[in-house]
Amino acid sequence: MTAAASSDADLIAAHAAGDPHAFSELVRRHRDRMWAVALRTLRDPEEAADALQEAFISAFRAAASFRAESQVTTWLHRIVVNACLDRMRRRQTRPTVPLPEAGPGEPVAPRDAMAERETRLVVQAALNELPEEQRAPIVLVDVEGYSVAETAQLLGIAEGTVKSRCARGRAKLAKVLGHLRNQSADANVPMSDVQVQQGRQLEER
């Protein structure tokens, strides 16, 4: 069986057994998703790149202790999120430039595209203002789409803590983003942003 055809768990086991190529294949498979998680959490490309590198180094060293009690992707996400949170704790708060969401999509009118980009920037700037303990669960649940249980597992906290932190974070976002609720172009706003604007209750998930 080739590395590309092996399961994630097989690759971890092969790496632990000394296969010099197995971990590189694992990184190749999941690098893009892990990068997205780091970037959304830290909002800074350089910080995200450093956190991702630290996370993969940690995963490389800890792979032998992986016990398959969770999916490899969940294990990797937890390591990446923890690396991001460590960097957030270490660095001093400083202004950051929100990232536009660039990428392929359905064609839209230039005015609509500009409005969408402006909305994203506003929402991202508001996320940047949240305390890190609230930002991380908000990003995982409302932006990345994880369940409360998955987020609790990733962050190593209780599900009730995830709910309360999300609720407090959404309340703050609702005040900052309230002016967006009456916009007529909600169809151009990503669903996760609309959910944040509406301050939906996490318990309904």
Short mmCIF file of all heavy atoms in Angstrom, two decimals, residues 78-116:
data_model
loop_
_atom_site.label_atom_id
_atom_site.label_comp_id
_atom_site.label_asym_id
_atom_site.label_seq_id
_atom_site.Cartn_x
_atom_site.Cartn_y
_atom_site.Cartn_z
N ARG A 78 -6.23 19.84 17.51
CA ARG A 78 -5.98 20.22 18.90
C ARG A 78 -4.57 20.79 19.07
O ARG A 78 -4.36 21.79 19.77
CB ARG A 78 -6.17 19.01 19.82
CG ARG A 78 -6.05 19.35 21.30
CD ARG A 78 -6.14 18.11 22.18
NE ARG A 78 -7.41 17.43 21.97
CZ ARG A 78 -7.54 16.21 21.46
NH1 ARG A 78 -6.45 15.55 21.07
NH2 ARG A 78 -8.71 15.66 21.34
N ILE A 79 -3.60 20.16 18.42
CA ILE A 79 -2.22 20.63 18.50
C ILE A 79 -2.08 22.01 17.86
O ILE A 79 -1.41 22.90 18.41
CB ILE A 79 -1.26 19.62 17.84
CG1 ILE A 79 -1.24 18.31 18.65
CG2 ILE A 79 0.16 20.20 17.74
CD1 ILE A 79 -0.43 17.21 18.01
N VAL A 80 -2.73 22.21 16.72
CA VAL A 80 -2.65 23.51 16.03
C VAL A 80 -3.32 24.60 16.86
O VAL A 80 -2.76 25.69 17.04
CB VAL A 80 -3.30 23.43 14.63
CG1 VAL A 80 -3.43 24.81 14.01
CG2 VAL A 80 -2.49 22.52 13.71
N VAL A 81 -4.51 24.31 17.38
CA VAL A 81 -5.22 25.31 18.19
C VAL A 81 -4.40 25.65 19.43
O VAL A 81 -4.28 26.83 19.80
CB VAL A 81 -6.61 24.78 18.59
CG1 VAL A 81 -7.23 25.68 19.65
CG2 VAL A 81 -7.52 24.72 17.37
N ASN A 82 -3.82 24.65 20.07
CA ASN A 82 -3.01 24.92 21.26
C ASN A 82 -1.79 25.76 20.92
O ASN A 82 -1.40 26.64 21.70
CB ASN A 82 -2.58 23.60 21.91
CG ASN A 82 -3.71 22.92 22.66
OD1 ASN A 82 -4.66 23.57 23.07
ND2 ASN A 82 -3.62 21.62 22.84
N ALA A 83 -1.18 25.48 19.77
CA ALA A 83 -0.03 26.29 19.34
C ALA A 83 -0.44 27.73 19.11
O ALA A 83 0.28 28.68 19.46
CB ALA A 83 0.60 25.70 18.08
N CYS A 84 -1.62 27.92 18.53
CA CYS A 84 -2.14 29.27 18.30
C CYS A 84 -2.41 29.98 19.63
O CYS A 84 -2.06 31.15 19.81
CB CYS A 84 -3.41 29.22 17.48
SG CYS A 84 -3.17 28.72 15.75
N LEU A 85 -3.05 29.28 20.56
CA LEU A 85 -3.36 29.88 21.85
C LEU A 85 -2.08 30.23 22.61
O LEU A 85 -2.01 31.26 23.28
CB LEU A 85 -4.22 28.93 22.67
CG LEU A 85 -5.62 28.66 22.12
CD1 LEU A 85 -6.36 27.65 23.00
CD2 LEU A 85 -6.43 29.94 21.99
N ASP A 86 -1.06 29.39 22.49
CA ASP A 86 0.22 29.68 23.14
C ASP A 86 0.82 30.97 22.59
O ASP A 86 1.34 31.80 23.35
CB ASP A 86 1.21 28.52 22.93
CG ASP A 86 0.87 27.32 23.80
OD1 ASP A 86 0.10 27.48 24.77
OD2 ASP A 86 1.36 26.22 23.49
N ARG A 87 0.76 31.13 21.27
CA ARG A 87 1.30 32.35 20.67
C ARG A 87 0.47 33.57 21.06
O ARG A 87 1.00 34.66 21.26
CB ARG A 87 1.36 32.22 19.14
CG ARG A 87 2.34 31.17 18.66
CD ARG A 87 2.63 31.31 17.18
NE ARG A 87 3.45 32.48 16.93
CZ ARG A 87 4.78 32.50 17.04
NH1 ARG A 87 5.44 31.41 17.43
NH2 ARG A 87 5.45 33.59 16.78
N MET A 88 -0.85 33.41 21.17
CA MET A 88 -1.70 34.52 21.58
C MET A 88 -1.39 34.94 23.01
O MET A 88 -1.44 36.12 23.35
CB MET A 88 -3.17 34.10 21.46
CG MET A 88 -3.64 33.97 20.01
SD MET A 88 -5.22 33.10 19.84
CE MET A 88 -6.32 34.27 20.62
N ARG A 89 -1.06 33.98 23.85
CA ARG A 89 -0.72 34.32 25.23
C ARG A 89 0.64 35.00 25.31
O ARG A 89 0.86 35.86 26.16
CB ARG A 89 -0.71 33.04 26.08
CG ARG A 89 -2.06 32.35 26.22
CD ARG A 89 -2.00 31.19 27.20
NE ARG A 89 -3.22 30.40 27.15
CZ ARG A 89 -3.35 29.23 26.53
NH1 ARG A 89 -2.31 28.71 25.90
NH2 ARG A 89 -4.50 28.59 26.55
N ARG A 90 1.56 34.59 24.45
CA ARG A 90 2.92 35.12 24.54
C ARG A 90 3.06 36.53 23.97
O ARG A 90 3.85 37.33 24.45
CB ARG A 90 3.90 34.19 23.80
CG ARG A 90 4.11 32.84 24.46
CD ARG A 90 5.39 32.19 23.95
NE ARG A 90 5.37 31.97 22.51
CZ ARG A 90 5.03 30.82 21.95
NH1 ARG A 90 4.65 29.79 22.70
NH2 ARG A 90 5.06 30.68 20.63
N ARG A 91 2.30 36.79 22.93
CA ARG A 91 2.49 38.08 22.27
C ARG A 91 1.68 39.17 22.97
O ARG A 91 0.65 38.91 23.56
CB ARG A 91 2.08 37.99 20.80
CG ARG A 91 0.57 37.89 20.59
CD ARG A 91 0.25 37.70 19.13
NE ARG A 91 -1.20 37.72 18.92
CZ ARG A 91 -1.77 37.52 17.74
NH1 ARG A 91 -1.02 37.29 16.68
NH2 ARG A 91 -3.09 37.55 17.62
N GLN A 92 2.14 40.36 22.87
CA GLN A 92 1.37 41.49 23.39
C GLN A 92 0.35 41.89 22.35
O GLN A 92 0.57 41.77 21.15
CB GLN A 92 2.30 42.68 23.68
CG GLN A 92 3.28 42.43 24.81
CD GLN A 92 4.12 43.67 25.08
OE1 GLN A 92 4.16 44.59 24.27
NE2 GLN A 92 4.80 43.67 26.21
N THR A 93 -0.77 42.39 22.84
CA THR A 93 -1.83 42.80 21.94
C THR A 93 -1.32 43.94 21.07
O THR A 93 -0.75 44.91 21.55
CB THR A 93 -3.06 43.27 22.71
OG1 THR A 93 -3.50 42.20 23.55
CG2 THR A 93 -4.18 43.65 21.76
N ARG A 94 -1.53 43.79 19.79
CA ARG A 94 -1.11 44.85 18.86
C ARG A 94 -2.08 44.87 17.69
O ARG A 94 -2.72 43.88 17.38
CB ARG A 94 0.31 44.60 18.35
CG ARG A 94 0.49 43.32 17.54
CD ARG A 94 1.93 43.19 17.11
NE ARG A 94 2.16 42.03 16.28
CZ ARG A 94 2.43 40.83 16.72
NH1 ARG A 94 2.50 40.62 18.03
NH2 ARG A 94 2.63 39.82 15.89
N PRO A 95 -2.20 46.02 17.03
CA PRO A 95 -3.14 46.11 15.91
C PRO A 95 -2.76 45.14 14.81
O PRO A 95 -1.58 44.92 14.53
CB PRO A 95 -2.98 47.57 15.44
CG PRO A 95 -2.41 48.30 16.61
CD PRO A 95 -1.53 47.29 17.32
N THR A 96 -3.74 44.54 14.18
CA THR A 96 -3.50 43.65 13.06
C THR A 96 -4.35 44.09 11.89
O THR A 96 -5.36 44.77 12.05
CB THR A 96 -3.87 42.20 13.41
OG1 THR A 96 -5.24 42.17 13.82
CG2 THR A 96 -3.01 41.68 14.55
N VAL A 97 -3.91 43.71 10.70
CA VAL A 97 -4.65 44.04 9.49
C VAL A 97 -5.53 42.86 9.12
O VAL A 97 -5.02 41.78 8.85
CB VAL A 97 -3.69 44.35 8.32
CG1 VAL A 97 -4.48 44.66 7.05
CG2 VAL A 97 -2.78 45.50 8.68
N PRO A 98 -6.85 43.01 9.17
CA PRO A 98 -7.74 41.89 8.84
C PRO A 98 -7.47 41.37 7.44
O PRO A 98 -7.15 42.13 6.53
CB PRO A 98 -9.15 42.49 8.94
CG PRO A 98 -8.96 43.73 9.78
CD PRO A 98 -7.59 44.23 9.47
N LEU A 99 -7.61 40.07 7.25
CA LEU A 99 -7.36 39.45 5.97
C LEU A 99 -8.62 39.37 5.13
O LEU A 99 -9.65 38.94 5.62
CB LEU A 99 -6.83 38.02 6.18
CG LEU A 99 -5.39 37.93 6.67
CD1 LEU A 99 -5.11 36.48 7.03
CD2 LEU A 99 -4.43 38.40 5.61
N PRO A 100 -8.55 39.74 3.88
CA PRO A 100 -9.69 39.52 3.00
C PRO A 100 -9.83 38.04 2.69
O PRO A 100 -8.85 37.31 2.73
CB PRO A 100 -9.31 40.31 1.73
CG PRO A 100 -7.82 40.31 1.73
CD PRO A 100 -7.42 40.38 3.18
N GLU A 101 -11.04 37.63 2.40
CA GLU A 101 -11.29 36.24 2.04
C GLU A 101 -11.15 36.14 0.53
O GLU A 101 -12.11 36.34 -0.20
CB GLU A 101 -12.69 35.82 2.48
CG GLU A 101 -12.85 35.79 3.98
CD GLU A 101 -12.24 34.54 4.58
OE1 GLU A 101 -11.88 33.63 3.80
OE2 GLU A 101 -12.09 34.48 5.80
N ALA A 102 -9.97 35.81 0.06
CA ALA A 102 -9.75 35.72 -1.38
C ALA A 102 -9.92 34.28 -1.82
O ALA A 102 -9.63 33.35 -1.10
CB ALA A 102 -8.33 36.21 -1.72
N GLY A 103 -10.35 34.10 -3.03
CA GLY A 103 -10.48 32.75 -3.54
C GLY A 103 -11.57 32.66 -4.58
O GLY A 103 -12.34 33.60 -4.79
N PRO A 104 -11.67 31.50 -5.24
CA PRO A 104 -12.69 31.35 -6.28
C PRO A 104 -14.08 31.34 -5.69
O PRO A 104 -14.29 30.96 -4.55
CB PRO A 104 -12.34 29.98 -6.90
CG PRO A 104 -11.63 29.26 -5.80
CD PRO A 104 -10.86 30.32 -5.06
N GLY A 105 -15.04 31.76 -6.47
CA GLY A 105 -16.42 31.77 -6.01
C GLY A 105 -17.34 32.10 -7.16
O GLY A 105 -16.90 32.30 -8.30
N GLU A 106 -18.61 32.18 -6.89
CA GLU A 106 -19.55 32.51 -7.94
C GLU A 106 -19.38 33.98 -8.33
O GLU A 106 -19.13 34.83 -7.48
CB GLU A 106 -20.98 32.27 -7.45
CG GLU A 106 -21.27 30.81 -7.15
CD GLU A 106 -22.69 30.61 -6.73
OE1 GLU A 106 -23.45 31.61 -6.71
OE2 GLU A 106 -23.06 29.47 -6.44
N PRO A 107 -19.51 34.28 -9.61
CA PRO A 107 -19.37 35.67 -10.05
C PRO A 107 -20.42 36.55 -9.38
O PRO A 107 -21.57 36.17 -9.23
CB PRO A 107 -19.61 35.58 -11.56
CG PRO A 107 -19.34 34.15 -11.91
CD PRO A 107 -19.77 33.35 -10.71
N VAL A 108 -19.99 37.73 -8.97
CA VAL A 108 -20.91 38.70 -8.40
C VAL A 108 -20.62 40.05 -9.01
O VAL A 108 -19.55 40.29 -9.57
CB VAL A 108 -20.76 38.79 -6.86
CG1 VAL A 108 -21.18 37.49 -6.21
CG2 VAL A 108 -19.32 39.13 -6.47
N ALA A 109 -21.57 40.95 -8.88
CA ALA A 109 -21.35 42.30 -9.39
C ALA A 109 -20.25 42.96 -8.59
O ALA A 109 -20.10 42.69 -7.40
CB ALA A 109 -22.66 43.09 -9.27
N PRO A 110 -19.43 43.84 -9.22
CA PRO A 110 -18.33 44.51 -8.50
C PRO A 110 -18.79 45.18 -7.22
O PRO A 110 -18.12 45.11 -6.20
CB PRO A 110 -17.81 45.51 -9.53
CG PRO A 110 -18.17 44.91 -10.86
CD PRO A 110 -19.48 44.21 -10.65
N ARG A 111 -19.95 45.83 -7.24
CA ARG A 111 -20.43 46.52 -6.05
C ARG A 111 -20.73 45.51 -4.94
O ARG A 111 -20.43 45.72 -3.78
CB ARG A 111 -21.67 47.33 -6.38
CG ARG A 111 -22.23 48.10 -5.19
CD ARG A 111 -23.40 48.97 -5.58
NE ARG A 111 -23.01 49.96 -6.59
CZ ARG A 111 -23.85 50.82 -7.16
NH1 ARG A 111 -25.14 50.79 -6.82
NH2 ARG A 111 -23.43 51.69 -8.05
N ASP A 112 -21.35 44.38 -5.33
CA ASP A 112 -21.66 43.34 -4.36
C ASP A 112 -20.38 42.75 -3.78
O ASP A 112 -20.29 42.45 -2.60
CB ASP A 112 -22.50 42.24 -4.99
CG ASP A 112 -23.93 42.72 -5.30
OD1 ASP A 112 -24.33 43.74 -4.72
OD2 ASP A 112 -24.60 42.07 -6.11
N ALA A 113 -19.38 42.53 -4.64
CA ALA A 113 -18.12 41.97 -4.19
C ALA A 113 -17.45 42.92 -3.19
O ALA A 113 -16.90 42.48 -2.18
CB ALA A 113 -17.19 41.71 -5.38
N MET A 114 -17.51 44.21 -3.47
CA MET A 114 -16.90 45.18 -2.57
C MET A 114 -17.65 45.21 -1.24
O MET A 114 -17.04 45.25 -0.17
CB MET A 114 -16.91 46.57 -3.21
CG MET A 114 -16.25 47.64 -2.34
SD MET A 114 -16.15 49.24 -3.19
CE MET A 114 -15.07 48.83 -4.55
N ALA A 115 -18.97 45.16 -1.31
CA ALA A 115 -19.77 45.17 -0.07
C ALA A 115 -19.48 43.93 0.76
O ALA A 115 -19.38 43.99 1.99
CB ALA A 115 -21.25 45.24 -0.41
N GLU A 116 -19.36 42.79 0.09
CA GLU A 116 -19.05 41.54 0.80
C GLU A 116 -17.69 41.62 1.47
O GLU A 116 -17.54 41.22 2.62
CB GLU A 116 -19.09 40.36 -0.17
CG GLU A 116 -18.73 39.03 0.49
CD GLU A 116 -18.76 37.87 -0.48
OE1 GLU A 116 -19.29 38.04 -1.59
OE2 GLU A 116 -18.24 36.80 -0.12
#
